[in-house]
Amino acid sequence: MDGLDNLLYDMRFRPKRVRNDTNMAMAGRNYKSYILRTSDVIPNPRAPVMNPLIATALALLFLSPVADQQKPLPPALRALVNTEREFSATSLREGIRASFMKYFADDGVSLSPKPHVYKKAAGQTPAPSNPLARSLYWEPVFADIASSGDIGCTMGPSRYRDASKADTVVQYGFFFSVWKKQKDGTWKVAVDVGSGSTKVVEEYFGRPVETMPHETYKSPRKRSDPKSLRRELMALDRLFAKNAVKRSAVESYRGILDPHARALRDGLVPFVGKEDVLAYLVKGTAVRIPAPIDAGASKAGDFGYTYGSFSENAKAKSPSGYYLRIWRRNAKGAWRIACEVAEPAE
């Protein structure tokens, strides 16, 4: 396998080293795979296809905003969702590397297997000899955006196949991305992370795109500058970390989760709603001792993100994993965690 492939596949799911009778191995960890013969794969209109003409036709179908949901998405959010779909369609049509190079910002960061600037890392790795030998397909089923329309996020199922093998390892996962609008008006990925899961992921393909209900935050007439908002979110992440150490992590989450919060952990499907997320965290999936690396916020100051590493104990010499959080202000102006993804380190 080309070195770049390991980097790319970690972006939308995180595979675990496995072997089958074709001696295929994937780098990474914590994913679920299903081994089946190519001839046994049931045709699916949303499955990756290696014929470029068929892929292009399907891609155009997926780009239709009619499939979003019964209630149309707001124009700005619809544009973001369609960009995510174009990203996936380009992956099928031109190859995985080409699509990531096109849709990642120059300073866009991937958290898998550890935080790195994607284009810089990819530029140091040879391109795959056959860009269409392997297919990576995904769909957005959740999306949200700042009121100023400059920062948003998407999440959804992903599926990978190697069509060059007689026996195919089908790998499932979920992706989560933060997008930023560029000066030229295009959307580019700012932060991206993948999470492994099981075949239940198939149930998520074809779902309408959901967005998060949230209270309306009225931005002050004099808006905070981006640097101030970044410092504010970094400080908030550190305060959360301090409280999580002093008190139980779950109680810290209880006081800061949005009522409609979502959480995603490796090997599972997303949990939706504050109580379900808390029940999820009680089982030991709470992020403990987080150390924020960077943050960003919308011009309106109502939507932001933080990402960083976390450790299971204060004496750990290396990170236990990495996390990405989406923050939203409520009507009173208080920041709340709207989404959180956490992945174990290798």
Side-chain angles (χ1 to χ4, degrees):
M1 176 171 292
D2 296 298
L4 178 63
D5 291 344
N6 291 336
L7 176 65
L8 288 168
Y9 303 151
D10 269 350
M11 310 281 281
R12 296 269 147 168
F13 59 84
R14 302 204 57 206
K16 175 182 181 180
R17 186 170 297 278
V18 294
R19 294 184 182 274
N20 62 6
D21 55 359
T22 63
N23 199 33
M24 176 177 180
M26 296 288 288
R29 59 182 296 167
N30 292 348
Y31 91 114
K32 309 294 185 219
S33 66
Y34 290 83
I35 301 172
L36 55 147
R37 293 192 176 277
T38 306
S39 59
D40 293 334
V41 176
I42 300 173
N44 186 315
R46 292 183 175 83
V49 263
M50 298 314 297
N51 184 308
L53 294 177
I54 297 176
T56 302
L58 288 176
L60 292 174
L61 176 63
F62 298 147
L63 294 179
S64 171
V66 176
D68 284 344
Q69 54 187 19
Q70 291 182 347
K71 183 179 179 181
L73 295 171
L77 186 57
R78 185 166 65 246
L80 173 57
V81 167
N82 282 342
T83 300
E84 181 70 79
R85 288 174 175 155
E86 290 166 5
F87 184 8
S88 180
T90 301
S91 174
L92 292 179
R93 186 175 59 249
E94 301 178 19
I96 302 169
R97 176 192 175 101
S99 65
F100 278 75
M101 293 298 286
K102 181 178 181 180
Y103 286 95
F104 260 68
D106 290 343
D107 58 352
V109 172
S110 168
L111 300 187
S112 302
K114 61 182 180 180
H116 63 276
V117 176
Y118 167 70
K119 284 190 174 181
K120 181 179 179 181
Q124 299 172 351
T125 312
S129 55
N130 182 356
L132 297 181
R134 303 178 179 92
S135 64
L136 180 60
Y137 173 71
W138 62 90
E139 292 179 9
V141 297
F142 168 78
D144 201 9
I145 195 171
S147 63
S148 47
D150 55 330
I151 295 183
C153 64
T154 53
M155 179 174 67
S158 64
R159 177 173 53 210
Y160 161 76
R161 283 198 182 104
D162 183 349
S164 68
K165 303 294 183 180
D167 288 324
T168 299
V169 176
V170 181
Q171 301 184 17
Y172 299 96
F174 284 90
F175 71 88
F176 194 95
S177 299
V178 175
W179 293 77
K180 285 185 179 180
K181 184 171 283 189
Q182 307 299 296
K183 292 181 179 180
D184 63 0
T186 61
W187 285 100
K188 299 291 184 181
V189 176
V191 189
D192 185 81
V193 63
S195 173
S197 190
T198 67
K199 194 176 181 180
V200 71
V201 167
E202 287 286 1
E203 299 176 6
Y204 285 78
F205 286 105
R207 291 189 180 187
V209 175
E210 298 178 352
T211 189
M212 179 177 290
H214 49 77
E215 300 175 8
T216 300
Y217 167 69
K218 293 184 179 181
S219 302
R221 292 183 179 180
K222 185 179 180 180
R223 296 181 176 180
S224 300
D225 66 274
K227 292 183 179 179
S228 295
L229 289 170
R230 177 185 176 275
R231 289 194 296 269
E232 183 178 348
L233 286 169
M234 293 283 282
L236 187 59
D237 233 21
R238 293 190 183 98
L239 178 61
F240 175 85
K242 184 178 180 180
N243 290 337
V245 172
K246 286 185 175 181
R247 304 182 295 175
S248 74
V250 173
E251 288 306 309
S252 296
Y253 276 100
R254 186 182 300 278
I256 205 165
L257 280 177
D258 184 276
H260 305 284
R262 294 171 182 248
L264 182 60
R265 294 295 190 274
D266 194 64
L268 300 171
V269 297
F271 279 65
V272 181
K274 182 175 181 177
E275 293 309 314
D276 283 350
V277 172
L278 284 172
Y280 186 20
L281 298 176
V282 167
K283 297 178 181 179
T285 62
V287 169
R288 294 174 170 80
I289 319 179
I293 294 174
D294 205 354
S298 65
K299 293 178 181 177
D302 62 344
F303 184 107
Y305 66 89
T306 55
Y307 69 87
S309 63
F310 66 91
S311 303
E312 293 301 324
N313 62 74
K315 296 182 180 180
K317 295 183 179 180
S318 58
S320 301
Y322 302 93
Y323 68 90
L324 170 62
R325 290 184 179 130
I326 298 297
W327 297 81
R328 265 202 169 278
R329 288 194 198 266
N330 61 20
K332 296 180 179 179
W335 287 104
R336 295 289 181 261
I337 296 175
C339 300
E340 183 184 85
V341 185
E343 291 300 310
E346 288 194 352

